[in-house]
Amino acid sequence: MSNECLVCSEPMSIAADILAGEILACGACGQEHELLMPDGQHKLALAPEIEEDWGE
Ligand SMILES: [Zn+2]
């Protein structure tokens, strides 16, 4: 299974045992992606931006 970064199209490898909702950072541009599995298949979406005042 291979997916590409949504920003720079760099191929991103996804571990077979990864769970939906995991955040993956592109090794090339650093863009974070959230892994979705709508139909049991891996799908990458841009991760929501983290609030500045996230706390712990
Ligand atoms: Zn990228």
Side-chain angles (χ1 to χ4, degrees):
M1 179 65 66
S2 66
N3 281 272
E4 294 181 348
C5 172
L6 298 177
V7 174
C8 70
S9 296
E10 180 81 3
M12 294 177 64
S13 61
I14 298 178
D17 61 349
I18 196 168
L19 300 174
E22 294 267 337
I23 300 297
L24 300 171
C26 173
C29 73
Q31 172 65 49
E32 293 187 331
H33 299 70
E34 180 176 12
L35 181 72
L36 306 176
M37 286 196 238
D39 300 309
Q41 295 190 1
H42 294 157
K43 179 181 174 66
L44 291 175
L46 293 179
E49 291 192 25
I50 298 175
E51 298 290 335
E52 290 184 17
D53 189 22
W54 187 253
E56 292 188 37

